[in-house]
Amino acid sequence: MEEDESHKPPHGHITSLAVLRTHRKRGIATLLMIHSQREMRRVFRAQYVSLHVRKSNRAAFHLYTKTLKYAINDIERGYYADGEDAYDMRCTFNESHDTEKLELHFISTLKLSSTRSMTSKGGITLMAKMHMLVTS
């Protein structure tokens, strides 16, 4: 169901985030999210970013709530094709929402060995993909 976006403030929506299973637990998803949030705010003046996550996806739920400070906005019953519910989550930007500070803290905790393993002879390998939508 499409919503009328004309009455909403400028915002972003993450439609998909995926990291290859072999490259998970290295902070790639966190960095992708931090960078995309910063650019949504800077370029599009987004006031918040939203996303949906399966209620059963505990790893993603932890990333969004604990690491990236998203809050549950609503629960969408039967959101997925298999009938599973989704959390409608939002991260609202305000003066205290400092993605650069979060990014610097997160990067400082990454291990050099993880960074090395993310490269190959031909340079950086493609490990993640992300789709996002910004509306105003």
Side-chain angles (χ1 to χ4, degrees):
M1 180 165 104
E2 295 293 319
E3 293 183 37
D4 177 16
E5 297 288 331
S6 62
H7 67 283
K8 290 186 178 182
H11 63 280
H13 182 79
I14 304 296
T15 57
S16 176
L17 171 64
V19 177
L20 288 174
R21 189 173 306 276
T22 56
H23 289 78
R24 291 180 186 166
K25 304 301 276 180
R26 297 180 185 187
I28 297 167
T30 301
L31 288 174
L32 280 170
M33 291 294 292
I34 290 169
H35 282 274
S36 65
Q37 288 175 179
R38 183 181 63 217
E39 293 305 301
M40 284 182 212
R41 187 174 183 192
R42 186 181 70 80
V43 175
F44 298 103
R45 304 211 188 307
Q47 293 181 20
Y48 67 91
V49 61
S50 64
L51 55 82
H52 292 92
V53 64
R54 285 181 177 271
K55 287 183 77 175
S56 65
N57 191 340
R58 292 174 47 178
F61 186 78
H62 183 270
L63 169 69
Y64 300 132
T65 58
K66 303 298 183 196
T67 305
L68 298 169
K69 308 303 182 204
Y70 278 68
I72 297 171
N73 181 58
D74 199 2
I75 295 175
E76 299 210 21
R77 306 277 178 218
Y79 180 80
Y80 292 98
D82 63 2
E84 186 174 353
D85 297 344
Y87 290 119
D88 170 9
M89 304 188 78
R90 290 193 182 172
C91 180
T92 302
F93 305 133
N94 54 42
E95 297 306 316
S96 65
H97 190 271
D98 191 351
T99 55
E100 289 178 19
K101 187 188 292 184
L102 178 61
E103 180 181 8
L104 288 173
H105 169 73
F106 190 77
I107 289 172
S108 70
T109 64
L110 289 177
K111 305 250 187 283
L112 183 58
S113 60
S114 296
T115 306
R116 280 194 197 126
S117 65
M118 289 190 280
T119 62
S120 66
K121 293 178 188 171
I124 302 294
T125 58
L126 179 62
M127 296 157 288
K129 69 177 183 178
M130 176 180 236
H131 300 278
M132 62 184 182
L133 169 71
V134 179
T135 61
S136 56

